[in-house]
Amino acid sequence: MTDIQQVIPPARSAGRGFRAYSAKHLDMLVQRAGLPPEERLAVRAVATVLPFRTNSYVVENLIDWDAAPDDPIYRLVFPQPDMLPAADVRRLADMIGSGAPEAGLRAAAHEIRMRLNPHPAGQLLLNAPSLHGQPLPGLQHKYPQTVLFFPRQGQTCHAYCSYCFRWAQFVDEPDLKMATDDIGTLVAYLREHPEVTSVLITGGDPMIMGEAVLRRYIQPLIDPASRLDHLESIRIGTKSLAYWPQRFVSDPDADATLRLFSEVVASGRTLALMAHFSHPRELEPSLLDTAVSRISGTGAVIRTQAPLIRSINDDPEAWRAMWRTQVRKGMVPYYLFVERDTGPQDYFAVPLARGYEIFREAYQGVSGLARTVRGPSMSATPGKVCVDGVTEVAGIKVFVLHMIQARDPRLVGTPFFARFDPAACWLADLEPVFASRFPYEPAPTRTSPPNCPGSGRTSRAS
């Protein structure tokens, strides 16, 4: 096979050797995986609906091409022919193969996207904050203590994960995107909300931004003149340690970025990089060790998290290896998430019962330092719901759950039970047991006396 760098013209960012590959390179890339023409066409069809982007570091250092297309890192990055319903894939493939007009292809892709729940957990409606009666686009405020901020220049990534729950940020659908470049409004909102102790800068990936742009967003948060003494921590959600560790080592502004990190710590606040690692192989390159060491030297903390994904990391040994390696490198295991109910969830989801077994078996094989990790956790409409176990109560097999975080703060820490269902993959699949409703569900409004027809429980939000 011809070397991939010889057949694909690189898209290079000046000065740092970063080469990005997009959908226009997809057919040439998947040839390297040995896919026949009809499967390559199906991959291209899927990529008209879901975003694709990778880079030279991932292609050359993380993927085992001898094992592709079954290699987990390949599956982590590349669209799969069967990620969408077969009828949709056939329809799009026929349109591509027949040279259908671009406008028709975009319309078909849009129609499919709208069926994929692009913004789960009600985030566009339920989490949208306002200031003096004006909505604040690009901000999310679901839990009292934490505000999410989506910087406009950070709404892409060094590479996209095929299961990403924020896929809607990366497709040609402007109405689905969350972003802002108005840091002044964020500061004003934080002044009005002293209960907020943490800002999570997210995307996309904020570390796609250069230091000068990143500083424009972070500096006002730590400037004493901003009067944000109640702000205790700044978090940055990033996959860059896995997909482009050069960002902290050899990029032209790597040193300046680390100085910015040090300034956050010197301001008396915690800077936490919320690093996303999906598979043990992402932790193997020596370049990662250098990046982690340099970040840790600033006083920043690296916490790790990722969802449990079928065919990529649905194996307790993978998680055990990741958590142990992360602790050895000085990182803090934080969350094992359940794949969210968006995009190709049916393709990637692991049933909650199996997810709990995987978590428990992995958790049993690590020391106490790695048992900082929580999960399996569902980031659902009412909050973060953790599956604590499966047991039998009063002769009934049940899931034991509790609220790690909640839209209603009074529910934080609340335990509850759901009837065991081996096929359930998400909170909406569960039914309450020992009660008529879950703790986060509103009490039914009685319009008739008790026990009369029509007085049943209300439907649940997912």
Side-chain angles (χ1 to χ4, degrees), residues 2-74:
T2 307
D3 183 80
I4 201 72
Q5 297 301 331
Q6 296 175 345
V7 298
I8 299 178
R12 183 181 295 273
S13 295
R16 62 185 186 126
F18 179 79
R19 293 191 292 272
Y21 301 127
S22 64
K24 66 182 179 182
H25 306 122
L26 189 54
D27 192 59
M28 292 183 183
L29 282 165
V30 297
Q31 285 186 53
R32 190 170 180 181
L35 298 188
E38 63 274 13
E39 288 192 29
R40 298 205 306 271
L41 181 59
V43 168
R44 289 172 59 198
V46 172
T48 65
V49 176
L50 299 169
F52 168 75
R53 174 181 168 94
T54 189
N55 67 64
S56 52
Y57 176 81
V58 175
V59 168
E60 296 163 8
N61 295 280
L62 299 183
I63 295 174
D64 180 358
W65 287 99
D66 290 335
D70 296 325
D71 175 67
I73 304 296
Y74 176 89

Side-chain angles (χ1 to χ4, degrees), residues 233-256:
S233 64
I234 297 172
R235 290 182 262 176
I236 299 175
T238 184
K239 183 76 177 178
S240 56
L241 277 167
Y243 282 167
W244 189 253
Q246 293 93 323
R247 179 67 185 82
F248 308 99
V249 179
S250 56
D251 276 8
D253 60 348
D255 290 350

